[in-house]
Amino acid sequence: MVSKSLVSLQRHLPQLSFSRVLAISAVLRVALILYSEWHDAHSTVKYTDVDYRVFSDAAHFVLNPTSANRAQGYLGLWTGSGDPYTRATYRYTPLLALLLTPNEWLHPSFGKYLFAVCDLLTGMLMYRMLVDIILPLGAKCEGSASSSVSSADQEKPTDTTTADTRVLERYATLLVSVHLLNPLVFTISTRGSSEAILLLFVLSTIYCALKRRWNAAAVLLGLSTHWKIYPFIYGVACLGLVGNGVGRGWKEYLQRMVDPRALKFGALSAATFAALGALMYLIWGYPFLYESYLYHLHRLDHRHNFSPYFYLIYLTYPTQSSPLELDSMPLGQRLLRSPLTSFVPQMVLSLGTGLLFGRRRDDLVFACFVQTVVFVVFNKVCTSQYFLWYMIFLPLLIPRLRMSTRQALLYLGVWAGTQALWLSEAYKLEFLGQNVFFGLWVRSLIYVVGNCWVLAQIMSCYAR
């Protein structure tokens, strides 16, 4: 037997089949996409996310170049390609617009089906990670008299009986259901948000890292960072695992980070990111560089969102943006508007936690989860879809959390309650037109404190 705990676990697991859960998840998503088409045709309040319309318009511009809509890079001018950035507010990689070009010639909901398929593929990958790596390793650690597992032991296949394998598969199915049947997950993808593609890339990166396929992990990390910049933080957690060495002290850890294999991993990842960026620049020119990356460096989002930074920007937002007005601002106001006000604490915490927890292979998921939570909580812009960035790690992390049902319900209640408190005030601003900016800012602070408290409790419940 892998672990005696499997005996007690078997008694509480439902008779779940992963193929059945996958089928239910697929039917659910198809039904919601079909419903979205009917709903949007009969209601002024659309089910489809506005971003999906932005993606679709960008794909249209790519396929229909005109004199006023041409790619501005050298290759783009030569090939006569259209420019997705002709669509205002399209601030994503051109690869997304290319993927959604079938919206034009096949079906307008093609992108939603693509995102739904990525959801399912993520669930399948999550299942394999649990069955092949995370659950056997966790069970072996529990059943072992030693509190740690050497890297040599981690590479050996775990000795499991057929009965044990069935229990692990049922447990993995239950955990994956937390993702596939999560209302936040399937509504966001079926409404047309592209997060599902990014999450598939990120999870594939972590899977390859856990399997020690470092070249593949490096390429996928570069691709993920090209798609959306934040996954670069995971490179810090991975660097401490790539190099040779078995010591756990800081000296040994730093030596592993400058090991030739770690340097190769960093170089390959950076080269992938640079190559994709260079190709996009050669085709679409400066608009790609500005809209995809540079814009986010100085972005001033004074619209309300979960982040408390929105209120600071709102109070100092100029009526006319001009260099003279910015120069004439008091130092305090310029500091409040500066991107460094949010960027510095965000980077210190997200990269620091990666360095702190990214020292062992079996702690990689935990390190990435903590990194992502602090990145999202302290980001200068935060919306509900950002929560998916760290929720994807929860099914992989749950087996290592030692908490009671009461604790779990309490943490979930605080996490959801702070959002509900914020949304109740945001409704007054957005739909009733009431001036509740200050009250909304106070609730944003409560959101930050509540989320930090929940993260601290989860960290204390993690069994290392």
Side-chain angles (χ1 to χ4, degrees), residues 2 129-141 158 160 168:
V2 175
M129 292 173 69
L130 286 164
V131 172
D132 295 343
I133 306 171
I134 295 175
L135 290 181
L137 183 60
K140 183 174 181 179
C141 290
T158 307
T160 62
L168 293 181

Side-chain angles (χ1 to χ4, degrees), residues 28-29 176-187 388 391:
L28 176 63
R29 283 162 172 78
V176 175
S177 299
V178 173
H179 172 77
L180 288 177
L181 302 180
N182 185 331
L184 186 62
V185 174
F186 61 69
T187 54
L388 295 181
M391 289 175 63

Side-chain angles (χ1 to χ4, degrees), residues 291-334:
E291 299 291 353
S292 296
Y293 302 118
L294 300 182
Y295 166 80
H296 299 281
L297 294 178
H298 62 80
R299 176 181 181 181
L300 296 176
D301 197 330
H302 66 292
R303 298 291 295 172
H304 59 279
N305 60 85
F306 284 103
S307 172
Y309 290 113
F310 94 88
Y311 190 57
L312 306 180
I313 297 173
Y314 170 77
L315 291 176
T316 59
Y317 201 77
T319 54
Q320 279 187 326
S321 182
S322 66
L324 179 61
E325 184 176 5
L326 295 177
D327 292 340
S328 63
M329 277 187 177
L331 178 61
Q333 288 189 2
R334 280 188 285 173

Side-chain angles (χ1 to χ4, degrees), residues 98-287:
L98 291 175
L99 283 177
L100 266 62
T101 51
N103 281 12
E104 283 285 295
W105 51 266
L106 183 60
H107 194 278
S109 293
F110 169 82
K112 294 182 181 179
Y113 287 106
L114 174 64
F115 302 153
V117 168
C118 289
D119 262 353
L120 301 179
L121 291 175
T122 298
M124 295 169 65
L125 182 59
M126 194 178 292
Y127 178 78
R128 288 264 56 94
M129 292 173 69
L130 286 164
V131 172
D132 295 343
I133 306 171
I134 295 175
L135 290 181
L137 183 60
K140 183 174 181 179
C141 290
E142 286 183 7
S144 174
S146 173
S147 60
S148 62
V149 182
S150 68
S151 55
D153 289 336
Q154 292 172 3
E155 293 300 309
K156 297 177 183 177
T158 307
D159 183 19
T160 62
T161 66
T162 303
D164 292 336
T165 301
R166 290 201 194 99
V167 175
L168 293 181
E169 289 175 350
R170 286 165 54 192
Y171 189 26
T173 300
L174 179 63
L175 292 171
V176 175
S177 299
V178 173
H179 172 77
L180 288 177
L181 302 180
N182 185 331
L184 186 62
V185 174
F186 61 69
T187 54
I188 284 180
S189 61
T190 56
R191 291 186 65 216
S193 173
S194 64
E195 298 299 328
I197 297 179
L198 174 66
L199 296 181
L200 179 60
F201 291 158
V202 167
L203 202 64
S204 299
T205 303
I206 305 304
Y207 174 76
C208 289
L210 289 173
K211 299 287 285 186
R212 300 191 185 278
R213 298 172 183 170
W214 294 115
N215 289 343
V219 171
L220 286 166
L221 180 61
L223 173 60
S224 302
T225 305
H226 168 80
W227 197 269
K228 190 162 287 188
I229 199 70
Y230 88 88
F232 85 92
I233 62 177
Y234 304 134
V236 175
C238 290
L239 280 177
L241 306 176
V242 182
N244 292 308
V246 295
R248 294 187 182 179
W250 276 104
K251 183 177 180 180
E252 291 79 9
Y253 178 59
L254 292 175
Q255 287 176 345
R256 291 204 302 272
M257 292 191 69
V258 296
D259 181 87
R261 293 198 304 179
L263 295 177
K264 177 184 176 182
F265 174 86
L268 184 57
S269 179
T272 302
F273 173 78
L276 287 170
L279 178 60
M280 299 300 105
Y281 182 81
L282 286 174
I283 299 175
W284 285 283
Y286 182 75

